[in-house]
Amino acid sequence: MLRGRSFVGSGSLFISELSVLFRRRRTWAMLSTISLIPIFLAIAVALSGSALPPGEGPPFLDRVSQNGLFVGFTAMIMAIPLFLPLTVGVVAGDTIAGEASTGTLRYLLIAPVNRAKLLFVKFLGAAAFSIAATFTLMITGIIIGVILFPVGPVTLLSGDVVSIPQALLRIFLVAIYVTISLLGLSAIGLFISTLTVIPVGAMAATVVVSTVSQILGTLPQLESIHPYLLSYYWLGFADLLRNPMDLGSMASNALLQLSYIAIFGSLAYSRFTSKDILS
Amino acid sequence: MNRTFVRWTPAMLAPVLVAAAAIGFSGQASAVVDLPNKSASQILAMINTNPDISFSGTVIKRAAMGLPPMNIIPDISQSMVDSMSKNMPKEMVDFIPKASAQGELALALEFLAGTHKAHLYVDGTSKVRVQVLDLLSERDFIRNGADIWFYDAGKSLVKHSVINPADEAQVRSEADNFFNTNESKLPFDVTSPAQVADYVIKQAGPYATFTVGSDARVAGRGVYQLTMTPQSTTSLVRSATISVDALTGLPLAVAINAVGQNEPAFEVTFETVTFETPAPALFAFTPPVGATVQEVAVPTQQDLMKYTGKAPSPTDEKEAIAQLEKLREQGWSAVLEIPADKVPAQFSAGIKDNKLFTELTKPVAGGRVFTTALLNIFIADDGRIFVGSVTTQRLLEVAAQ
């Protein structure tokens, strides 16, 4: 199971990691399930036929039947709390522990691959999956929306209307925003993955971290720590749907996720470089 | 051993670096400022000398009014609350909302609690846009000349009013007339903001002291801080501070501190501000397709009279003036009494059984009190209502007189 990873450069190591990740059936199963979210959502709205009164159901759901471009936004809101963190948790939790459990980690490190470089590449792999997941969801959303519903200029949260190309740009930015939101969790998953040789344990623990963060975020008694929670800005992508566009929360979110990457990335580094690889 | 230590160094350093960066970032914002010294009266005179100002910024409102701990979820109906409490297991009882609040009441409660963020765009006096940034939603208030728009993204609702320029001009000319005929009676020269400020501070003298705080920074701009401290032992207001932009005179922050509470009870602060004219397109609002549009007529004087039932009679006016005079004499200890016969019938009739009312108020001898950090209301069993920014103790004393 060396999978041709005798390359030294991290570029080729990354390409090899990507090809392993995206050749796995599990990855494709998760991406297909993600694409089912907007599809089910759109079909349900199309079949129900009756227009939903505004303010009922998840945000934007009432607008889906008027404008298919909203399918992606609504699906994103539904996928952020559980489904996206779940899939990212699976990929990030598997990074090191997965190799350890199948016994390939040893061989990887016998080849002249620096442990830090391996960690970095594993993190990039998890990040690549986050990009694939958010864009799969958004692009499927657009396609199914265009098929089932009329499509036209999009009404922003501020009540102003933007043209379709403008709306697509914002959809693109929302997907980027959500990808950034998942990077901190990827770093946490990577760290947890260095702690164990049982991948399922690391995956579950990563998902638990994301859930705990969201639960803490709903407790008003803990208001003072809310801005430091991993999930604090997760729903802040709504700021990209205002007029004028508010990039403030995008920047704050990036800074927060970067802090998590710095802390858990270095924890993972310290743990991984100082541990004995037995399997 | 040594090698292990070296390898764990990054893990120990990273949190420290992140924390240091976070602290350094906020420290930068509060770097020391030194502005030319000004007296309290000079600062007061600076405020709003240029009403035609254009700016845009982000405003944060924080309220810690000390409302009773409760779960009030705005905009869900009482029947939903009731069915939730029936169906939820006993252990979950703390999570069930105790009462519902809808419409204007929900808005009022929202104003009194928690944190809100808004974008503000102002171009002179006739173009304003306020965007209240809700989570995954937004409420917009736009004034563009004669047009007034309100948009609620959550409800997909538009309200529109048109100000009749003639009406506006009439109100303005009436005000001007009143002002011109009475100007000579005023004890100061109205064309001089400095004199007005001096007069205000002198008049407030017996009731409050004004102090100038150290120069500070709000939204990255140097500000003067003017603090007013009431001279009263029964007042709930400990002090109020206004931060005035040194260059434009625009108030950039207002904080009201309550007695016995460290954080401000109510605070409005600019987080960012720029003094550029906002893009004209921001004020041009067209209702989006699919939104419900309601035309709302601007209330005229006749409408207001219809609402109160009758035009104010000379005796009513005399009573109101006497009442105001009485309040003024009491200064910060002022308590407003609403006699039972002046309280609207539907208020006194429905309120006793209202769950929200019982949830928000607590029983005292002779009635119930609604307590917040800055305002107390005593609703007596005999129907009278006492309102004041004073301790419950004082409210009850006044009621007993």
Side-chain angles (χ1 to χ4, degrees), chain B residues 129-149:
Chain B
R129 179 164 189 165
V130 184
Q131 302 180 316
V132 182
L133 311 180
D134 301 314
L135 186 68
L136 293 171
S137 188
E138 185 172 316
R139 282 165 289 165
D140 278 53
F141 172 87
I142 303 152
R143 171 165 189 199
N144 188 15
D147 285 299
I148 292 180
W149 297 96

Side-chain angles (χ1 to χ4, degrees), chain A residues 122-142:
Chain A
K122 286 291 186 185
F123 176 73
L124 288 186
F129 177 80
S130 307
I131 295 177
T134 50
F135 278 85
T136 303
L137 190 142
M138 272 305 195
I139 292 170
T140 326
I142 294 171

Side-chain angles (χ1 to χ4, degrees), chain B residues 20 59 66 109 133 156 205 222 247 316 332 336 394:
Chain B
V59 181
L109 282 173
L133 311 180
S156 197
L247 290 179
D316 285 344
W332 287 95
L336 174 70
R394 161 134 180 103

Side-chain angles (χ1 to χ4, degrees), chain B residues 23 27 79 98 106 142 188 231 233 278 301 359 384 388:
Chain B
I23 293 167
S79 63
K98 298 264 166 34
I142 303 152
F188 48 78
Q231 293 179 338
T233 48
Q301 215 164 359
E359 187 62 28
R384 293 176 305 159

Side-chain angles (χ1 to χ4, degrees), chain B residues 329-351:
Chain B
E329 278 167 10
Q330 298 175 58
W332 287 95
S333 319
V335 173
L336 174 70
E337 177 185 347
I338 306 170
D341 60 325
K342 290 278 162 64
V343 177
Q346 71 246 67
F347 177 80
S348 20
I351 200 153

Side-chain angles (χ1 to χ4, degrees), chain A residues 54-55 59 63 77 155 157-161 235 238 242-244 246 259 262-263 266-267 269-271 273-274, chain B residues 7-8 10-11 14-15 18 119 121 129 131 133-138 140 151 153-156 282 285-286 288:
Chain A
R63 302 190 184 183
I77 293 167
T155 305
L157 286 175
S158 311
D160 303 289
V161 175
L235 290 176
R242 304 187 195 281
N243 181 42
D246 182 359
S259 311
I263 292 172
S266 35
L267 275 172
Y269 169 81
S270 301
R271 163 73 187 164
T273 50
S274 60
Chain B
R7 280 169 176 161
W8 280 97
V18 167
H119 286 165
Y121 304 93
R129 179 164 189 165
Q131 302 180 316
L133 311 180
D134 301 314
L135 186 68
L136 293 171
S137 188
E138 185 172 316
D140 278 53
Y151 177 67
K155 298 194 178 92
S156 197
L282 271 179
F285 186 82
T286 327

